[in-house]
Amino acid sequence: MVSCAGVFFICANLSWALALRPIAPASPPPTIYQTASSIPDPPPQLEPFKPTFFDDVLLSIFRWTLQRQSGVSIPHLQGFDGMMAELHELRRTKGTDELERVSLQTMTALAGPIPFLHRVLFVQSDEADGPSANRNSYPTAYALAWFAKYLLPFLVGEMTLTSTSTTITTAHNETDNTDIFNTGIGGGLLVERCRVLEGSNCKGICAKMCKVPTERFFAERWGMPLSMEPNFETGSCQLRFGVVPLPLEEDATIPSGCLGRCPAAGEGGCD
């Protein structure tokens, strides 16, 4: 346990050096639509994600744990498509609230003691400022974004490290007469084309299997707020570690109803 904590501590502090490198600004907020059915489909993906052997191993572990938590298994369908079919079956038979419970339990089981170690090392109780406050939120947010970029492509596809801000400021470097870009605080991560959204075509699975339980997982287990902002029009998703998300019912970027391409659109919906 001590060695794991030491490794995490070193990696979190090394993120300071990484954070000095210029990173992209966060993606702008998605267009607001009144209903999900009015959101246009994303453009065709020219270069679909190609999983590595490591991605396949991680997917197998994640899917096996998901099956144990949900009790739903479709063994004749392999790989990522099989997992999407199982999620649709779980949503159809038990509803989206069960999706949220199963997803949260799956992440908790797979994370083991690591969230506890993070809370011990980097989160402190502060009655004046609320139940928890990060001792050093910037480097830890950046470290979490960095680890997610390399550990989670099996689930969501390619990602790019970003700022948590959408604004770009520039300063002039007098030494070599060039502009230096400063995009604010790191800790952002852009999922370029989410595999879960692409594979499920379902707003309910996106919101209740991915967005809400993941935000809860980091807030409750890690002590680190996380805001996830899916863009159904582009298929992307902007993550912002260290940013408190809006409640789902107050988030105007998650409209009511089903996407036009959703398999549940003819089954009474998936809200």
Side-chain angles (χ1 to χ4, degrees):
M1 179 178 291
V2 175
S3 61
C4 290
V7 169
F8 191 85
F9 178 79
I10 291 169
C11 291
N13 282 277
L14 283 175
S15 68
W16 274 111
L18 292 171
L20 295 177
R21 300 170 58 190
I23 55 177
S27 177
T31 303
I32 303 298
Y33 289 88
Q34 294 301 313
T35 60
S37 60
S38 61
I39 301 176
D41 292 350
Q45 194 171 13
L46 300 180
E47 296 185 9
F49 177 74
K50 296 179 180 179
T52 64
F53 173 77
F54 182 59
D55 291 326
D56 289 338
V57 171
L58 291 177
L59 176 64
S60 296
I61 295 171
F62 186 87
R63 184 182 177 187
W64 181 85
T65 308
L66 198 63
Q67 290 171 338
R68 296 303 177 274
Q69 296 294 331
S70 67
V72 176
S73 176
I74 307 178
H76 67 277
L77 294 177
Q78 301 299 311
F80 193 84
D81 290 341
M83 185 176 72
M84 290 297 101
E86 290 163 354
L87 291 175
H88 274 296
E89 180 65 13
L90 179 62
R91 175 203 54 74
R92 186 184 68 81
T93 57
K94 298 185 179 180
T96 55
D97 288 342
E98 183 67 3
L99 276 176
E100 181 180 343
R101 185 197 69 80
V102 166
S103 179
L104 183 60
Q105 289 296 104
T106 297
M107 288 185 282
T108 301
L110 289 172
I114 298 176
F116 170 77
L117 294 175
H118 175 269
R119 292 186 72 97
V120 169
L121 290 170
F122 301 108
V123 180
Q124 62 184 352
S125 177
D126 189 342
E127 294 182 359
D129 295 331
S132 66
N134 287 303
R135 292 191 179 104
N136 215 346
S137 60
Y138 173 36
T140 52
Y142 193 94
L144 289 172
W146 189 89
F147 278 111
K149 171 179 169 59
Y150 293 102
L151 285 176
L152 297 182
F154 80 94
L155 189 60
V156 298
E158 298 292 344
M159 292 174 280
T160 302
L161 290 171
T162 72
S163 166
T164 55
S165 171
T166 58
T167 60
I168 298 178
T169 59
T170 62
H172 196 68
N173 188 340
E174 299 295 344
T175 304
D176 57 8
N177 202 34
T178 60
D179 287 335
I180 303 172
F181 289 87
N182 178 0
T183 57
I185 296 177
L189 195 61
L190 177 65
V191 179
E192 297 171 11
R193 191 71 175 248
C194 180
R195 294 188 78 196
V196 173
L197 181 55
E198 188 91 1
S200 67
N201 287 315
C202 179
K203 187 202 72 180
I205 288 178
C206 169
K208 298 304 288 284
M209 183 268 170
C210 192
K211 173 181 164 62
V212 174
T214 305
E215 290 174 341
R216 283 186 57 194
F217 175 62
F218 277 96
E220 297 172 8
R221 303 298 199 274
W222 293 78
M224 168 65 71
L226 167 67
S227 174
M228 298 180 66
E229 302 161 10
N231 188 323
F232 300 108
E233 189 172 357
T234 63
S236 64
C237 184
Q238 178 68 55
L239 282 65
R240 304 173 199 259
F241 287 95
V243 176
V244 177
L246 287 172
L248 190 64
E249 60 274 11
E250 297 178 16
D251 191 342
T253 66
I254 312 289
S256 62
C258 276
L259 298 171
R261 58 189 185 274
C262 179
E267 304 173 4
C270 59
D271 282 337

